[in-house]
Amino acid sequence: MIRYDVTDAVATITLDRPEAMNSLTAEVKAALLDALRRAAADPEVRAVLLTGSGRAFCAGQDLREHADNLEAGRGLADTVRAHYNPIVELITTMPKPVVAAVNGVAAGAGASLAFACDLRVASDKTKFAMAFTGVGLAPDSGASWTLARLVGLGRATELLLLGEPLGAARALELGVVTRVVPAEDVLKTAHELAVRLAAGPTRAYAATKRALAYAATHSLPETLAVEADLQDECVATLDHLDATRAFLAKELPTFGGR
């Protein structure tokens, strides 16, 4: 149900339940979390690509499993705390860039997974659906945080309350996605972007992710102090030293993540 491949220092993690639009059972979520942890821990992996097989990126929670839990009186079966929260926390805090190749429908928690990634390449057939209120639920998997940061509070409120499908062109206009390409090119384009990131200054990328996350909930003076600390960390790296030397020599830098 999860495929894991490493090529060109990019770990591609594929949700592989095409017959169920890659919807998320407890087993799939546990396997996805394991795959993300594997990518985060592997020093040979310098970027991560998350995608789905078939015509969907991810349709969100498997509602058949959810209905069984409801009928058995188990409610959410603690899946938000046990699965969704750690998955999203790992994607957003991983010291490696994470690219989503959104190859089709991304609904509910599936859309939330895409929003948690650093960059999103969407197919021209992609549709996002914030389907939570449609089944009487509040947003989860970080959607109330990530979506508001992507499009602003007012637009996020509209999307979350109304739950209306958001097509690829409108998603690009609002800043939800980074690029929109033809369906047959989405995985190739996203992989090329991930390879570009993997060859870049990954220590600086990690610091940038930390800076952005910190700035979202802190004052400007506090953020300035953290930025200064992060610059101290980055200036001590071989990547920075080598890149500075390359700039002065009018050469292209080579980054090793050191």
Side-chain angles (χ1 to χ4, degrees):
M1 292 176 285
I2 297 289
R3 296 203 313 268
Y4 185 97
D5 304 286
V6 179
T7 306
D8 299 322
V10 174
T12 299
I13 299 172
T14 306
L15 300 169
D16 196 19
R17 294 185 73 214
E19 74 288 350
M21 298 182 70
N22 302 316
S23 58
L24 301 166
T25 63
E27 186 178 3
V28 173
K29 285 174 280 191
L32 175 58
L33 184 57
D34 285 345
L36 288 166
R37 286 172 173 161
R38 178 179 174 185
D42 187 348
E44 300 302 316
V45 170
R46 292 167 53 85
V48 178
L49 176 61
L50 180 62
T51 191
S53 62
R55 62 191 178 93
F57 174 73
C58 175
Q61 174 64 39
D62 185 299
L63 290 183
R64 292 185 183 276
E65 180 183 80
H66 179 61
D68 290 342
N69 285 331
L70 290 179
E71 294 296 336
R74 291 189 293 267
L76 292 170
D78 203 36
T79 193
V80 174
R81 294 181 180 87
H83 298 124
Y84 288 124
N85 288 358
I87 287 171
V88 170
E89 286 178 11
L90 183 51
I91 291 172
T92 55
T93 62
M94 187 185 303
K96 303 175 183 184
V98 184
V99 178
V102 190
N103 51 300
V105 172
S112 300
L113 291 181
F115 299 156
C117 295
D118 299 306
L119 299 173
R120 286 153 296 282
V121 177
S123 154
D124 55 5
K125 301 185 185 302
T126 291
K127 289 189 184 302
F128 293 97
M130 301 315 298
F132 298 104
T133 58
V135 290
L137 292 173
D140 63 29
S141 307
S144 59
W145 193 80
T146 53
L147 186 58
R149 293 183 74 202
L150 288 171
V151 303
L153 178 60
R155 193 67 72 183
T157 301
E158 175 188 346
L159 293 170
L160 289 167
L161 289 183
L162 298 181
E164 295 174 348
L166 179 66
R170 183 61 172 156
L172 181 63
E173 181 182 341
L174 293 177
V176 172
V177 298
T178 311
R179 299 179 187 175
V180 174
V181 298
E184 60 271 20
D185 295 333
V186 64
L187 186 57
K188 176 177 178 288
T189 302
H191 188 264
E192 289 173 349
L193 181 57
V195 169
R196 174 183 169 185
L197 291 166
T202 50
R203 293 281 294 275
Y205 295 154
T208 299
K209 290 180 67 167
R210 287 167 58 191
L212 287 168
Y214 187 88
T217 55
H218 291 81
S219 68
L220 177 58
E222 291 170 317
T223 299
L224 291 171
V226 167
E227 285 182 346
D229 291 340
L230 292 171
Q231 287 292 51
D232 286 342
E233 291 180 18
C234 288
V235 80
T237 64
L238 286 176
D239 275 352
H240 174 65
L241 178 61
D242 291 346
T244 302
R245 289 170 173 168
F247 177 83
L248 293 175
K250 297 183 179 179
E251 298 172 349
L252 292 175
T254 299
F255 298 104
R258 306 180 306 278

